[in-house]
Coordinates of all heavy atoms in Angstrom, one line a residue:
V1 N 84.9 43.6 81.6 CA 84.0 44.8 81.9 C 84.8 46.1 81.8 O 84.4 47.0 81.1 CB 83.3 44.6 83.2 CG1 82.5 45.9 83.6 CG2 82.4 43.4 83.2
I2 N 85.9 46.1 82.5 CA 86.7 47.3 82.5 C 87.2 47.6 81.1 O 87.3 48.8 80.7 CB 87.9 47.2 83.5 CG1 87.3 47.0 84.9 CG2 88.8 48.3 83.4 CD1 88.4 46.7 86.0
G3 N 87.6 46.6 80.4 CA 88.1 46.8 79.0 C 87.0 47.3 78.1 O 87.3 48.2 77.3
H4 N 85.8 46.9 78.3 CA 84.7 47.4 77.5 C 84.5 48.9 77.8 O 84.3 49.7 76.9 CB 83.4 46.6 77.8 CG 82.2 47.2 77.1 ND1 82.0 47.1 75.7 CD2 81.1 47.9 77.6 CE1 80.9 47.7 75.4 NE2 80.3 48.2 76.5
L5 N 84.5 49.2 79.1 CA 84.3 50.7 79.5 C 85.5 51.5 78.9 O 85.3 52.6 78.5 CB 84.3 50.8 81.0 CG 83.0 50.1 81.7 CD1 83.1 50.2 83.2 CD2 81.7 50.7 81.2
L6 N 86.7 51.0 79.0 CA 87.8 51.8 78.5 C 87.8 51.9 77.0 O 88.1 53.0 76.5 CB 89.1 51.0 78.9 CG 89.5 51.1 80.4 CD1 90.8 50.3 80.6 CD2 89.8 52.5 80.8
T7 N 87.3 50.9 76.3 CA 87.2 50.9 74.9 C 86.2 52.0 74.5 O 86.4 52.8 73.5 CB 86.8 49.6 74.3 OG1 87.7 48.6 74.7 CG2 86.7 49.6 72.8
V8 N 85.0 52.0 75.2 CA 84.0 53.0 74.9 C 84.6 54.4 75.1 O 84.3 55.3 74.3 CB 82.8 52.8 75.7 CG1 81.8 54.0 75.6 CG2 82.1 51.5 75.3
Q9 N 85.3 54.6 76.2 CA 85.9 55.9 76.5 C 87.0 56.3 75.4 O 87.1 57.4 75.1 CB 86.5 55.8 77.9 CG 87.0 57.2 78.4 CD 87.6 57.1 79.8 OE1 87.6 56.0 80.4 NE2 88.0 58.2 80.3
L10 N 87.7 55.3 74.9 CA 88.7 55.6 73.9 C 88.1 55.9 72.6 O 88.6 56.8 71.8 CB 89.7 54.4 73.8 CG 90.6 54.1 74.9 CD1 91.3 52.8 74.7 CD2 91.7 55.2 75.0
I11 N 87.0 55.2 72.2 CA 86.4 55.4 70.9 C 85.6 56.7 70.9 O 85.4 57.3 69.8 CB 85.5 54.2 70.6 CG1 86.3 53.0 70.5 CG2 84.7 54.4 69.3 CD1 87.4 53.0 69.4
R12 N 85.0 57.2 72.0 CA 84.1 58.3 72.0 C 84.8 59.6 71.4 O 84.1 60.2 70.6 CB 83.7 58.6 73.5 CG 82.6 59.7 73.5 CD 82.2 60.1 74.9 NE 81.6 58.9 75.6 CZ 82.1 58.3 76.6 NH1 83.3 58.7 77.1 NH2 81.5 57.3 77.2
P13 N 86.0 59.9 71.7 CA 86.6 61.1 71.1 C 86.8 61.0 69.6 O 86.6 62.0 68.9 CB 88.0 61.2 71.7 CG 87.9 60.5 73.0 CD 86.9 59.4 72.7
I14 N 87.0 59.8 69.1 CA 87.1 59.6 67.6 C 85.8 59.8 67.0 O 85.7 60.4 65.9 CB 87.7 58.2 67.3 CG1 89.1 58.0 68.0 CG2 87.7 57.9 65.8 CD1 89.7 56.7 67.8
N15 N 84.7 59.3 67.6 CA 83.4 59.5 67.0 C 83.0 60.9 67.0 O 82.4 61.5 66.1 CB 82.4 58.7 67.8 CG 82.5 57.2 67.7 OD1 83.1 56.7 66.6 ND2 82.1 56.4 68.7
K16 N 83.3 61.6 68.1 CA 83.0 63.1 68.2 C 83.8 63.8 67.1 O 83.3 64.8 66.5 CB 83.3 63.6 69.6 CG 82.3 63.2 70.6 CD 82.6 63.9 72.0 CE 81.6 63.5 73.0 NZ 81.9 64.1 74.3
M17 N 85.1 63.4 67.0 CA 85.9 64.1 66.0 C 85.4 63.9 64.6 O 85.4 64.8 63.7 CB 87.3 63.6 66.1 CG 88.3 64.2 65.2 SD 90.0 63.5 65.3 CE 89.7 61.9 64.6
A18 N 84.8 62.7 64.3 CA 84.2 62.5 63.0 C 83.0 63.3 62.7 O 82.8 63.7 61.6 CB 83.9 61.0 62.9
E19 N 82.3 63.6 63.8 CA 81.1 64.5 63.7 C 81.4 65.9 63.6 O 80.7 66.7 63.0 CB 80.1 64.2 64.8 CG 79.6 62.7 64.8 CD 78.8 62.4 66.1 OE1 78.6 63.4 66.9 OE2 78.3 61.3 66.2
H20 N 82.4 66.4 64.3 CA 82.8 67.8 64.4 C 84.3 68.0 64.1 O 85.0 68.3 65.0 CB 82.4 68.3 65.8 CG 81.0 68.1 66.2 ND1 79.9 68.7 65.7 CD2 80.5 67.2 67.1 CE1 78.8 68.2 66.2 NE2 79.1 67.3 67.1
L21 N 84.7 67.7 62.9 CA 86.1 67.7 62.5 C 86.7 69.1 62.6 O 87.8 69.3 63.0 CB 86.3 67.2 61.1 CG 87.7 67.0 60.7 CD1 88.4 66.0 61.5 CD2 87.7 66.5 59.2
D22 N 85.8 70.1 62.4 CA 86.3 71.5 62.4 C 86.2 72.2 63.7 O 86.5 73.3 63.9 CB 85.6 72.3 61.4 CG 85.8 71.8 59.9 OD1 86.9 71.3 59.7 OD2 84.9 71.9 59.1
H23 N 85.7 71.5 64.7 CA 85.5 72.1 66.1 C 86.1 71.1 67.1 O 85.3 70.6 68.0 CB 84.0 72.3 66.3 CG 83.4 73.2 65.3 ND1 82.8 72.8 64.1 CD2 83.2 74.6 65.3 CE1 82.4 73.8 63.5 NE2 82.6 74.9 64.2
I24 N 87.4 70.9 67.1 CA 88.0 70.0 68.0 C 88.7 70.8 69.1 O 89.5 71.7 68.8 CB 89.0 69.1 67.3 CG1 88.3 68.2 66.3 CG2 89.8 68.2 68.3 CD1 89.3 67.3 65.5
D25 N 88.4 70.4 70.4 CA 89.1 71.1 71.5 C 90.5 70.5 71.6 O 90.6 69.3 72.0 CB 88.2 70.9 72.8 CG 88.8 71.6 73.9 OD1 89.8 72.3 73.8 OD2 88.2 71.6 75.0
P26 N 91.5 71.3 71.4 CA 92.9 70.7 71.4 C 93.3 70.3 72.8 O 94.1 69.4 73.0 CB 93.8 71.9 71.0 CG 92.9 73.1 71.2 CD 91.5 72.7 71.0
M27 N 92.6 70.8 73.9 CA 93.0 70.4 75.2 C 92.3 69.1 75.5 O 92.9 68.2 76.3 CB 92.5 71.5 76.2 CG 93.2 72.8 76.1 SD 95.0 72.6 76.3 CE 95.1 72.1 78.0
E28 N 91.1 68.8 75.0 CA 90.4 67.5 75.3 C 91.0 66.4 74.4 O 91.0 65.3 74.8 CB 89.0 67.7 75.0 CG 88.1 66.5 75.3 CD 86.6 66.7 75.1 OE1 86.3 67.8 74.7 OE2 85.9 65.8 75.4
Y29 N 91.4 66.7 73.2 CA 91.8 65.7 72.2 C 93.2 66.0 71.8 O 93.6 66.0 70.6 CB 90.9 65.7 71.0 CG 89.4 65.5 71.4 CD1 88.5 66.5 71.1 CD2 89.0 64.3 72.0 CE1 87.2 66.4 71.4 CE2 87.7 64.2 72.3 CZ 86.8 65.2 72.0 OH 85.4 65.0 72.4
R30 N 94.1 66.3 72.7 CA 95.5 66.6 72.4 C 96.2 65.5 71.6 O 96.9 65.8 70.6 CB 96.3 66.9 73.6 CG 97.7 67.4 73.4 CD 98.4 67.8 74.7 NE 97.6 68.8 75.4 CZ 97.9 69.2 76.7 NH1 98.8 68.6 77.4 NH2 97.2 70.1 77.2
E31 N 96.0 64.3 72.0 CA 96.7 63.2 71.3 C 96.1 62.9 69.9 O 96.8 62.4 69.0 CB 96.5 61.9 72.1 CG 97.2 61.8 73.5 CD 96.4 62.6 74.5 OE1 95.3 63.0 74.2 OE2 96.9 62.7 75.7
L32 N 94.9 63.4 69.7 CA 94.2 63.2 68.4 C 94.4 64.3 67.4 O 94.0 64.3 66.3 CB 92.7 62.9 68.5 CG 92.4 61.6 69.3 CD1 90.8 61.5 69.4 CD2 92.9 60.4 68.5
E33 N 95.0 65.4 67.9 CA 95.2 66.6 67.1 C 96.0 66.4 65.8 O 95.6 66.8 64.8 CB 95.8 67.8 68.0 CG 95.8 69.1 67.3 CD 94.5 69.7 67.0 OE1 93.5 69.3 67.7 OE2 94.3 70.5 66.0
P34 N 97.1 65.7 65.9 CA 97.9 65.4 64.7 C 97.0 64.6 63.7 O 97.1 64.8 62.5 CB 99.1 64.6 65.1 CG 99.3 65.0 66.6 CD 97.9 65.2 67.1
F35 N 96.3 63.6 64.2 CA 95.5 62.8 63.4 C 94.4 63.6 62.7 O 94.1 63.5 61.5 CB 94.8 61.7 64.2 CG 93.9 60.8 63.5 CD1 94.3 60.1 62.4 CD2 92.6 60.7 63.9 CE1 93.4 59.2 61.7 CE2 91.7 59.8 63.2 CZ 92.1 59.1 62.1
A36 N 93.8 64.5 63.5 CA 92.7 65.4 63.0 C 93.3 66.4 61.9 O 92.6 66.6 60.9 CB 92.1 66.2 64.1
D37 N 94.5 66.9 62.2 CA 95.1 67.8 61.2 C 95.4 67.0 59.9 O 95.1 67.6 58.8 CB 96.5 68.3 61.7 CG 96.3 69.3 62.9 OD1 95.2 69.8 63.0 OD2 97.2 69.5 63.6
K38 N 95.8 65.8 60.0 CA 96.0 65.0 58.8 C 94.7 64.8 58.0 O 94.6 64.9 56.8 CB 96.6 63.6 59.1 CG 97.0 62.8 58.0 CD 98.1 63.4 57.2 CE 98.6 62.4 56.1 NZ 99.7 63.0 55.3
I39 N 93.6 64.5 58.8 CA 92.3 64.2 58.1 C 91.8 65.5 57.5 O 91.3 65.5 56.4 CB 91.3 63.7 59.1 CG1 91.7 62.3 59.6 CG2 89.9 63.7 58.5 CD1 90.8 61.7 60.6
R40 N 92.0 66.7 58.2 CA 91.5 67.9 57.7 C 92.3 68.3 56.4 O 91.7 68.8 55.4 CB 91.7 69.0 58.7 CG 90.6 69.2 59.7 CD 90.7 70.5 60.4 NE 91.8 70.6 61.3 CZ 91.8 70.3 62.6 NH1 90.7 70.0 63.2 NH2 92.9 70.4 63.3
S41 N 93.6 68.0 56.4 CA 94.4 68.3 55.2 C 94.0 67.5 54.0 O 93.8 68.0 52.9 CB 95.9 68.0 55.5 OG 96.7 68.2 54.4
Q42 N 93.7 66.2 54.3 CA 93.3 65.3 53.2 C 91.9 65.7 52.8 O 91.6 65.6 51.6 CB 93.3 63.8 53.7 CG 94.7 63.3 53.9 CD 94.7 61.9 54.4 OE1 93.7 61.3 54.7 NE2 95.9 61.2 54.4

């Protein structure tokens, strides 16, 4: 149960990033910022 909740919480930022790639809050998604920069560049 806890793993499912954690998984949903981990996946949520990625889903939001996919929907709003150009409007990422660097404070909220600091760990994903390099990944987002790479995707934006590509």
Side-chain angles (χ1 to χ4, degrees):
V1 173
I2 295 173
H4 176 71
L5 296 176
L6 289 175
T7 302
V8 172
Q9 187 176 4
L10 288 171
I11 297 298
R12 187 183 297 116
I14 300 177
N15 292 333
K16 288 184 178 180
M17 184 182 67
E19 296 174 359
H20 308 285
L21 188 61
D22 296 329
H23 301 86
I24 298 178
D25 185 358
M27 295 303 295
E28 184 178 1
Y29 306 114
R30 182 177 302 171
E31 294 81 2
L32 295 176
E33 187 64 24
F35 178 59
D37 290 340
K38 185 67 174 179
I39 293 179
R40 274 196 294 262
S41 175
Q42 293 180 349

